[in-house]
Amino acid sequence: MRNADPETQRKIINRLKRARGQLDSVINAVENDGSCREVVTQLAAVSTALDRAGFVIVSGVMQYCITDPETAAEEEDGLTIEELEKLFLTLS
């Protein structure tokens, strides 16, 4: 995430921290015999938070690669538009 602006980076970190908190809730519910509804609801929340963070990350890199493909290829270890497309599709 070398090219992310501070606001985008803050949003990503907040989403990931939220997902971590939700995952801790899942673990706690499983360890303490929580209800099936509670476990599944928290799992869904973790999954959604991670997906959204992933989309923000990939879309930011895609935007960067499209606007400055030569620099992006150097800074992102040769990441091509095709590879970005594959990354994006792995999230869907």
Side-chain angles (χ1 to χ4, degrees):
M1 293 300 316
R2 298 173 207 151
N3 60 349
D5 64 271
E7 179 63 18
T8 300
Q9 202 165 23
R10 184 190 63 76
K11 288 179 183 179
I12 293 166
I13 290 169
N14 285 344
R15 286 187 191 277
L16 293 173
K17 286 181 178 180
R18 187 176 313 128
R20 180 175 53 197
Q22 291 163 331
L23 184 57
D24 287 341
S25 293
V26 172
I27 292 167
N28 187 43
V30 170
E31 289 176 339
N32 295 304
D33 297 324
S35 72
C36 185
R37 177 179 288 144
E38 179 184 7
V39 171
V40 171
T41 300
Q42 287 299 323
L43 277 174
V46 171
S47 179
T48 299
L50 290 174
D51 286 346
R52 289 185 180 179
F55 283 124
V56 171
I57 291 168
V58 171
S59 67
V61 173
M62 287 180 102
Q63 184 178 18
Y64 179 59
C65 288
I66 289 169
T67 58
D68 191 357
E70 291 175 10
T71 304
E74 290 173 14
E75 292 181 1
E76 295 295 332
D77 302 323
L79 191 61
T80 65
I81 298 293
E82 291 79 19
E83 290 170 316
L84 275 171
E85 185 178 317
K86 286 179 186 177
L87 287 173
F88 184 79
L89 291 172
T90 63
L91 294 172
S92 61

